[in-house]
Amino acid sequence: MTRLPSVDFLNVIHPYTGDVFDAQPTTRGFSSDVLALIDGEQGQFFVKGVQNRAGGRRDSINRERLINESVRPLSPRLLWHTESDQWIALGFEWVNGRLSDLTPGSADLPAVIQLMDRIGEIPLPPVADRWPERRWNRFASHEDEAALFKGDMLIHGDINPSNILVGDAGPWIVDWAWPTRGSALIDPALLVLQLIAAGHSPEGAESLASQCDGWSTSDPAAIDAFAMANLRMFRQRAKRFPEQEWLCAMEDTAQAWVAYRQG
């Protein structure tokens, strides 16, 4: 038996899960206090929970709740949500899938590329119209560069192997923790970074991304600016949190991409 979440959290979700028999924590996600596959009297659910405190985590989980209807069937269905003075929790359908493999030659790559285009085909939900993308603005060299990241497309904004699940029913894009309205370039460009991190050359990564409409129709100057903004972002974060080796690895990845584009 895996150690269950705290009693107070179980009490909050009990009306939807019944008594919980087992809870398997997942390795995905950094922005949740509880992230687990829950097996209960009323079924199996993927459950996310954060403490109900003002700030980014509460804002994020509320965005994920509000966007879910618009991003199905690419994302698992939200079945219920609940909150107390202490907790906010979302209960999603439990889908069978494994983390995607982005390494060179992976059989997952065609489905991942297709998934990027399917995200780009989602009409911008009215709720997302008030969520303009700003995360990379402060890492642009000037306001004109930051303006290149603006747009009217729905952006997932956290493309990485752990947020793309591959199963018999096809690929899923999960963890819509911070959807925004921005340039169609952003999600395919984030995929480029992840492909390079997975072992592709920058040229090979861009060749794969070029199959995405959001990439192929983008201004090369916008791609250059976004690549450089990511390098500045990861450089700053790696310096701030040197103990987090993945940030240093992503700084190296972003540097390789910038070097390729400047070369």
Side-chain angles (χ1 to χ4, degrees):
M1 172 71 71
T2 302
R3 184 172 66 85
L4 298 177
S6 63
V7 172
D8 54 350
F9 184 80
L10 293 176
N11 287 339
V12 171
I13 67 173
H14 188 272
Y16 302 94
T17 63
D19 290 343
V20 172
F21 308 130
D22 195 17
Q24 297 291 333
T26 75
T27 57
R28 296 192 296 105
F30 298 98
S31 61
S32 299
D33 297 303
V34 175
L35 200 64
L37 297 170
I38 296 286
D39 189 2
E41 283 183 311
Q42 298 189 34
Q44 296 177 317
F45 309 95
F46 176 68
V47 176
K48 298 183 71 170
V50 301
Q51 294 190 35
N52 194 355
R53 299 172 180 168
R57 287 190 173 191
R58 186 173 71 179
D59 293 345
S60 176
I61 202 168
N62 281 327
R63 284 197 187 194
E64 187 161 8
R65 171 179 61 84
L66 292 169
I67 206 68
N68 181 258
E69 184 176 356
S70 298
V71 299
R72 300 196 309 257
L74 303 186
S75 184
R77 183 163 55 103
L78 178 65
L79 300 175
W80 47 263
H81 69 275
T82 185
E83 68 178 276
S84 67
D85 290 342
Q86 186 174 359
W87 291 100
I88 300 177
L90 306 180
F92 296 89
E93 63 179 325
W94 184 333
V95 299
N96 290 320
R98 57 172 174 78
L99 303 186
S100 59
D101 177 5
L102 301 185
T103 57
S106 168
D108 294 347
L109 293 174
V112 171
I113 296 298
Q114 183 183 48
L115 186 61
M116 295 299 102
D117 273 343
R118 293 180 69 192
I119 295 171
E121 292 168 358
I122 298 174
L124 182 71
V127 69
D129 192 52
R130 63 177 189 265
W131 300 334
E133 179 55 67
R134 296 191 180 100
R135 279 169 286 189
W136 287 272
N137 286 13
R138 66 192 180 98
F139 299 105
S141 61
H142 48 74
E143 291 184 2
D144 288 346
E145 275 196 353
L148 296 173
F149 310 152
K150 294 180 180 180
D152 292 314
M153 303 295 291
L154 177 64
I155 304 302
H156 180 278
D158 191 15
I159 304 297
N160 67 69
S162 66
N163 285 341
I164 301 173
L165 305 182
V166 178
D168 293 339
W172 303 86
I173 181 74
V174 300
D175 197 12
W176 286 84
W178 212 254
T180 57
R181 169 176 55 83
S183 167
L185 160 71
I186 292 176
D187 281 344
L190 294 176
L191 177 63
V192 167
L193 276 169
Q194 294 297 325
L195 289 170
I196 297 171
H200 294 259
S201 68
E203 181 180 13
E206 287 199 359
S207 177
L208 286 168
S210 70
Q211 301 173 45
C212 302
D213 290 340
W215 176 278
S216 63
T217 58
S218 292
D219 183 347
I223 299 175
D224 291 340
F226 192 72
M228 195 66 214
N230 275 278
L231 175 57
R232 295 187 186 106
M233 179 183 72
F234 284 117
R235 181 177 291 159
Q236 181 187 94
R237 292 180 179 175
K239 184 176 181 179
R240 184 178 179 186
F241 303 105
E243 73 283 0
Q244 297 191 26
E245 296 181 1
W246 73 273
L247 286 173
C248 296
M250 288 306 297
E251 180 187 358
D252 291 342
T253 295
Q255 179 64 71
W257 187 24
V258 167
Y260 166 73
R261 293 201 63 82
Q262 292 179 340

